[in-house]
Amino acid sequence: MALARAATVSRLAATRRSGGYGRFAVMLLASLALHLWWLAVARRELSFELPPPARALTVELFVLPAPVSVGNLPRQTPAAGTASKAPLPVASVAPITPPSDMPPLDEPPASPAPEDPAPLTAGVGEVPPLADGPAAPSVDPRLGAAAVSFPRFGRFVSDTTVYQGLLRLLGSTSIEWRIADGRYSAKSDTYDDSGRVYAALTSEGRIDPEFGVAPERYVEKRLNRAPLATNFRWSERKVTFSNTDRELPLRPGLQDQLSFLAQLAVIAQAFPERLLPGSGLALEVAGTRDLRVYELAVIGWERLSLPVGTVDTLKLERILPGGGRDLRLELWLSPAHSWLPARTRTVLPTEQTIETVLREVKIGE
């Protein structure tokens, strides 16, 4: 009897051990499957590639109606109708030093600051009332051009979420830029929750008084794939790609998938009448193998509560004429942050959705 009881106890212990191992194996396989699925989603949906052409160019592209002068004044433009003229605090802003891994730019020669109104900011401390559009621009008296202000260095960090049906995947996106002596460099890195980079974008070029942001080279790298480059040959008015022999016409105002956000910020500051609710504009955007037109409608003002704070934003949405099946895009531009997006939503043709919400802002003059 004692031997039988011992054998039974031994079998029960073995069953428990095998059951524990089984549960561990199931959990391990589930985790592996989730990461493999996330990898597949990242390959498809965080690729930052534009879909194939849907139609020929038939809309009038936006071009700057007058020259612009981009400087590094620490000035933010509030929404029109703001009563207060005193500076207001900007949420979660901290100084930084220049990013060490970004392309070097020559420092501009020292020059007297242009005559300019007192600094104006819109932020969390006192949110201005919603209005019908951006405030009127100031003018650079030296050049007779609309004055646009960007911090010399900056970093925006956003929480990034990918939605696939009922499944939600978390990560983050960091965008950094540097401006000096009429040139800019920018980069954007998207990470998963473990810190692995899934998509890395870089854009560099010049600030042109006639064109605004004028990219010269755009590079996109996804996971362990080779980087893909788009070259903007302004002197020849051609766009070339590293992965194809195609050459496409380079029209004034052409942007890449990173620089077009800065171009919108330039337009908001310099030509605010083009961003009144109910209006719209079209920008041509280059990917890694083709060009697309973003027809953007200005929806209106929205006050958002985000990790970075409560901010007033101007919402823009990409129009898809004729119900076209293409990338859908929504942008919430923040006057308190040089008119760069505080929130974005991208819906791919496969219905996967990517959202970013601004969590941290660091600025260096």
Side-chain angles (χ1 to χ4, degrees), residues 34-337:
L34 180 61
H35 279 79
L36 289 175
W37 184 88
W38 166 241
L39 184 64
V41 169
R43 287 182 183 275
R44 296 192 310 269
E45 315 308 341
L46 296 185
S47 64
F48 295 91
E49 286 185 350
L50 293 168
R55 62 194 181 101
L57 177 63
T58 58
V59 298
E60 181 180 353
L61 298 174
F62 176 84
V63 294
L64 300 188
V68 296
S69 171
V70 178
N72 301 121
L73 301 176
R75 180 172 66 85
Q76 310 290 343
T77 305
T82 302
S84 174
K85 298 296 182 181
L88 302 175
V90 176
S92 302
V93 175
I96 61 171
T97 56
S100 59
D101 56 345
M102 297 185 69
L105 295 174
D106 296 332
E107 291 296 326
S111 59
E115 298 177 5
D116 201 65
L120 298 174
T121 61
V124 175
E126 179 183 350
V127 180
L130 299 183
D132 293 332
S138 59
V139 175
D140 187 332
R142 299 169 300 175
L143 304 176
V148 177
S149 176
F150 279 99
R152 188 181 302 274
F153 312 109
R155 179 187 298 121
F156 281 16
V157 180
S158 299
D159 293 325
T160 302
T161 307
V162 178
Y163 296 92
Q164 170 69 30
L166 299 178
L167 191 58
R168 183 179 65 174
L169 304 171
L170 304 177
S172 66
T173 298
S174 172
I175 297 179
E176 297 180 357
W177 72 87
R178 180 178 182 177
I179 301 173
D181 199 19
R183 295 191 60 80
Y184 80 90
S185 61
K187 68 174 185 175
S188 171
D189 295 318
T190 297
Y191 307 84
D192 71 354
D193 57 357
S194 69
R196 180 169 43 180
V197 178
Y198 278 103
L201 315 179
T202 61
S203 174
E204 56 183 287
R206 69 183 192 278
I207 306 297
D208 189 288
E210 301 298 328
F211 301 148
V213 181
E216 295 174 345
R217 184 172 173 83
Y218 167 76
V219 180
E220 174 183 307
K221 189 178 187 308
R222 295 178 285 138
L223 299 172
N224 58 351
R225 299 184 184 182
L228 301 176
T230 303
N231 299 296
F232 300 76
R233 295 156 59 177
W234 290 92
S235 61
E236 304 173 50
R237 292 294 191 267
K238 293 181 179 179
V239 183
T240 61
F241 308 92
S242 64
N243 63 336
T244 176
D245 293 332
R246 298 184 67 192
E247 293 185 351
L248 297 177
L250 197 168
R251 288 176 276 262
L254 178 65
Q255 302 298 316
D256 61 47
Q257 294 183 73
L258 189 54
S259 70
F260 91 95
L261 298 175
Q263 182 77 338
L264 282 175
V266 168
I267 296 169
Q269 290 193 46
F271 310 107
E273 71 281 358
R274 297 305 301 266
L275 290 182
L276 297 177
S279 64
L281 74 163
L283 296 178
E284 195 170 26
V285 180
T288 57
R289 55 174 63 96
D290 218 315
L291 310 179
R292 293 296 176 278
V293 175
Y294 283 0
E295 297 180 57
L296 301 170
V298 183
I299 304 303
W301 290 91
E302 291 187 17
R303 181 166 294 172
L304 303 179
S305 296
L306 305 174
V308 74
T310 300
V311 293
D312 280 352
T313 62
L314 184 62
K315 183 180 178 182
L316 277 63
E317 184 173 341
R318 187 186 179 195
I319 304 169
L320 297 180
R325 183 176 174 80
D326 206 336
L327 177 146
R328 302 197 298 274
L329 181 65
E330 295 172 87
L331 303 169
W332 286 261
L333 306 183
S334 170
H337 303 97

Side-chain angles (χ1 to χ4, degrees), residues 13-31:
T15 300
R16 292 191 187 98
R17 287 195 298 271
S18 63
Y21 294 149
R23 286 191 297 273
F24 176 76
V26 169
M27 292 173 61
L28 182 62
L29 289 174
S31 176

